[in-house]
Amino acid sequence: MTATEETQDVPWGDVTPDAARRLMVAAVEAFAERGYHATTTRDIAGRAGMSPAALYIHYKTKEELLHKISTLGHTKAVNILATAADADGTAADRLAQAVRSFVIWHAGHHTTARVVQYELDALDAEHRAEVVQLRRQCDAAVRRILDDGVKSGEFEVPDIPGATLAVLSLCIDVARWFNVQGRRTPDEVGASYADLVLRMVGARPRS
Amino acid sequence: MTATEETQDVPWGDVTPDAARRLMVAAVEAFAERGYHATTTRDIAGRAGMSPAALYIHYKTKEELLHKISTLGHTKAVNILATAADADGTAADRLAQAVRSFVIWHAGHHTTARVVQYELDALDAEHRAEVVQLRRQCDAAVRRILDDGVKSGEFEVPDIPGATLAVLSLCIDVARWFNVQGRRTPDEVGASYADLVLRMVGARPRS
């Protein structure tokens, strides 16, 4: 499990300077391979070809690195889902787009997504509270689409909070099982999952 | 996150002698809290109130403990799904039962399930191959129900392997998000997910 999954675009391209960016890439790799608690800042610096002292210029603690990774990952998730929720089109179009793009992100960035999802408990209380807020925004975006679809008569959903949770869960778990050597591309999984989710909410698949 | 989730029945009650059982409980707790690689056999022995020497009487390595936890967890999963697949009733009845019982297990044993799912890469090659075989049996049980439902005209599933993967993924991810302090009981999640999955395969919910 390496960062090669993310080499098509420059991973964490928004993070500057480049040394700070390379340390984030190294931290994601190390956390994914060994877990947060088994990783030292020395390991991370070494993977990035730097000294521990050079790491401390950019990040005071290992937790600061995890916090940054988690915040950027969750902000991306909010953007993907809110963009789909705010788009034009029917509720079915917007739900299909939300699922497709959220799945493609989790498949294409599965290493980062695993770290973000499985190491939440390692964040300190304040940082965890920030991330929980971002997760509520993800939830709200999907719930908004389901509400709209029920109101317009497109969807039939007896339990909107429960269906919202299931839709997000299905997409997030792609990060666990997705295999770059597997038979399905991220786009194929995204298209297939969009159809499955439309069925879950009682809409007919559009294809 | 502790083993208290499993205190209604004795956790790992089939494992004897009792010292070996207590070490497994301690290992699951430690792996879940700190990750496999950050846990030492000394940590595990300490949690079980034993000396490291006492641990070695029962388990030669930390990997042997993970292997045992993973094998028992996966064997339970195979039993749950094969029992539902082999039961009498319509394909819809059997699929609902498979999902309900698999979800209830993942909610009720979420700490164990997280360890089993997230630490697969820590198994050695031979043990990992054994576990992969058990996972194929889980897959085969669900696929058998979907095949039967398509043949009988109960289900409409364009991509049976893809739908099988999605059904299992949805149930497994319950272990990630389930919270014993949350609003939903394992039974409620199981019932709700059985309905969502029946929709996914193009059957009408029975309720």
Side-chain angles (χ1 to χ4, degrees):
Chain A
M1 208 181 312
T2 73
T4 51
E5 56 172 313
E6 286 162 357
T7 47
Q8 288 181 298
D9 48 349
V10 177
W12 307 105
D14 296 342
V15 179
T16 56
D18 192 60
R21 188 190 66 76
R22 284 192 292 130
L23 286 163
M24 282 188 69
V25 173
V28 168
E29 284 181 35
F31 295 158
E33 273 181 36
R34 303 272 304 164
Y36 176 81
H37 294 290
T39 299
T40 63
T41 48
R42 179 175 292 273
D43 297 333
I44 296 168
R47 278 179 189 258
M50 296 182 203
S51 68
L55 182 145
Y56 289 117
I57 296 172
H58 303 285
Y59 304 101
K60 283 188 205 71
T61 63
K62 181 173 72 161
E63 197 271 345
E64 187 181 336
L65 267 160
L66 180 64
H67 174 231
K68 184 110 190 190
I69 292 163
S70 192
T71 303
L72 287 178
H74 278 91
T75 302
K76 181 71 187 169
V78 171
N79 287 344
I80 286 170
L81 296 172
T83 299
D86 295 339
D88 292 331
T90 64
D93 288 337
R94 290 151 61 210
L95 184 58
Q97 178 55 27
V99 169
R100 209 161 32 224
S101 48
F102 204 46
V103 163
I104 290 171
W105 192 82
H106 278 87
H109 299 78
H110 56 89
T111 308
T112 299
R114 286 180 201 170
V115 169
V116 164
Q117 295 297 339
Y118 304 161
E119 301 287 11
L120 272 183
D121 287 341
L123 292 172
D124 71 26
E126 191 188 330
H127 291 161
R128 197 164 194 285
E130 278 174 36
V131 168
V132 166
Q133 275 306 111
L134 293 170
R135 292 170 85 88
R136 291 213 175 109
Q137 292 177 44
C138 289
D139 195 88
V142 172
R143 197 181 293 213
R144 188 145 43 96
I145 305 176
L146 298 193
D147 278 334
D148 290 348
V150 168
K151 275 188 205 125
S152 70
E154 287 175 78
F155 301 160
E156 189 211 322
V157 183
D159 170 10
I160 289 181
T164 300
L165 179 60
V167 169
L168 287 169
S169 169
L170 191 65
C171 298
I172 288 169
D173 196 51
V174 169
R176 180 184 56 80
W177 63 258
F178 187 79
N179 178 350
V180 282
Q181 272 97 48
R183 277 172 305 179
R184 294 159 202 274
T185 66
D187 283 350
E188 284 165 357
V189 180
S192 154
Y193 270 42
D195 278 352
L196 290 171
V197 165
L198 287 176
R199 287 175 171 223
M200 273 171 57
V201 298
R204 302 300 309 164
R206 296 160 315 140
S207 55
Chain B
M1 207 179 312
T2 72
T4 51
E5 55 173 313
E6 287 161 356
T7 47
Q8 287 181 299
D9 47 349
V10 177
W12 306 105
D14 297 342
V15 179
T16 55
D18 192 59
R21 188 190 67 74
R22 284 192 291 130
L23 286 164
M24 283 189 67
V25 173
V28 168
E29 285 181 36
F31 294 158
E33 272 181 35
R34 302 271 305 163
Y36 176 81
H37 294 290
T39 299
T40 63
T41 48
R42 179 174 291 274
D43 296 334
I44 297 168
R47 278 178 189 258
M50 295 183 203
S51 68
L55 182 146
Y56 290 117
I57 296 172
H58 303 286
Y59 304 100
K60 283 187 204 72
T61 63
K62 182 174 72 160
E63 198 273 344
E64 187 181 336
L65 267 160
L66 180 63
H67 174 229
K68 183 110 190 189
I69 291 162
S70 193
T71 302
L72 287 178
H74 278 91
T75 301
K76 181 72 187 169
V78 171
N79 286 344
I80 287 169
L81 296 172
T83 299
D86 295 340
D88 292 331
T90 64
D93 288 338
R94 290 151 61 211
L95 184 58
Q97 178 55 27
V99 168
R100 208 161 33 224
S101 48
F102 204 47
V103 163
I104 290 170
W105 192 81
H106 277 87
H109 299 79
H110 57 88
T111 307
T112 299
R114 286 180 201 170
V115 170
V116 164
Q117 295 297 339
Y118 304 161
E119 300 288 9
L120 273 184
D121 286 342
L123 292 172
D124 71 28
E126 189 188 331
H127 291 160
R128 197 164 194 284
E130 277 173 37
V131 168
V132 167
Q133 275 306 110
L134 293 170
R135 292 170 85 89
R136 292 212 176 109
Q137 291 177 45
C138 289
D139 195 87
V142 172
R143 197 181 292 213
R144 187 143 45 94
I145 306 175
L146 297 193
D147 278 333
D148 290 348
V150 168
K151 275 188 204 127
S152 70
E154 287 173 78
F155 301 161
E156 188 211 322
V157 183
D159 170 9
I160 290 181
T164 300
L165 179 61
V167 169
L168 287 169
S169 169
L170 190 65
C171 297
I172 289 170
D173 196 52
V174 169
R176 179 184 57 81
W177 63 258
F178 187 80
N179 178 348
V180 283
Q181 272 98 48
R183 276 173 305 179
R184 293 159 203 274
T185 65
D187 283 349
E188 283 165 358
V189 180
S192 153
Y193 269 42
D195 278 352
L196 290 171
V197 165
L198 287 177
R199 288 174 172 224
M200 273 172 57
V201 299
R204 302 301 307 165
R206 297 161 315 141
S207 56

